[in-house]
Amino acid sequence: VQLVESGGGLVQAGGSLRLSCVASGFTFEHYAVGWFRQIPGKEREGVACISTRDGFTYLADGVEGRFTISTDNINTINLQMDALKPEDTAVYYCAAPAGFWDAVVLCKYYETESWGKGTAVTVSP
């Protein structure tokens, strides 16, 4: 059971990146899945989550209108990030935990000690 994130990099402010997360060893089974990030010096936060059951999407304040989350409902989660800002600089992680059906609950309350390696995003001014 593994989640592998990719797609991070260095981009100038205003640019775009597309992050991908691929699950191996399991499928999403109608759970909520999402993207989290940890900004240096801050706690990890839920950025964008989506229900694979009904497609309901939650986006955190500050990323609405700029980030778009999508999933194939099987084993892939994407995060399209447009109009990037320096404050988006962070390591981004994906999550697909069993038992979380609600995208809002996942993004706001999920915690674990078992995050993957993540993918680093750096936005220069």
Side-chain angles (χ1 to χ4, degrees):
V1 175
Q2 190 178 17
L3 292 168
V4 178
E5 303 95 343
S6 64
L10 173 64
V11 64
Q12 287 188 328
S16 298
L17 283 174
R18 183 176 177 84
L19 306 184
S20 291
C21 169
V22 179
S24 60
F26 73 106
T27 58
F28 296 152
E29 300 290 342
H30 305 299
Y31 295 136
V33 298
W35 284 94
F36 294 70
R37 70 184 179 188
Q38 187 158 26
I39 297 170
K42 296 188 176 181
E43 291 189 355
R44 205 181 319 256
E45 62 177 349
V47 175
C49 293
I50 185 170
S51 168
T52 63
R53 181 173 52 183
D54 60 14
F56 180 84
T57 298
Y58 167 82
L59 294 170
D61 290 343
V63 305
E64 285 184 323
R66 300 189 299 119
F67 289 12
T68 304
I69 186 172
S70 62
T71 178
D72 65 357
N73 295 332
I74 300 173
N75 68 344
T76 303
I77 318 164
N78 296 309
L79 184 67
Q80 178 67 39
M81 305 188 296
D82 299 316
L84 282 161
K85 303 176 180 181
E87 52 262 45
D88 296 318
T89 294
V91 179
Y92 286 73
Y93 304 86
C94 61
F100 279 78
W101 302 96
D102 186 279
V104 177
V105 172
L106 174 63
C107 258
K108 289 191 172 185
Y109 299 109
Y110 178 63
E111 294 182 349
T112 182
E113 296 296 324
S114 302
W115 293 98
K117 293 182 179 180
T119 186
V121 172
T122 302
V123 185
S124 63

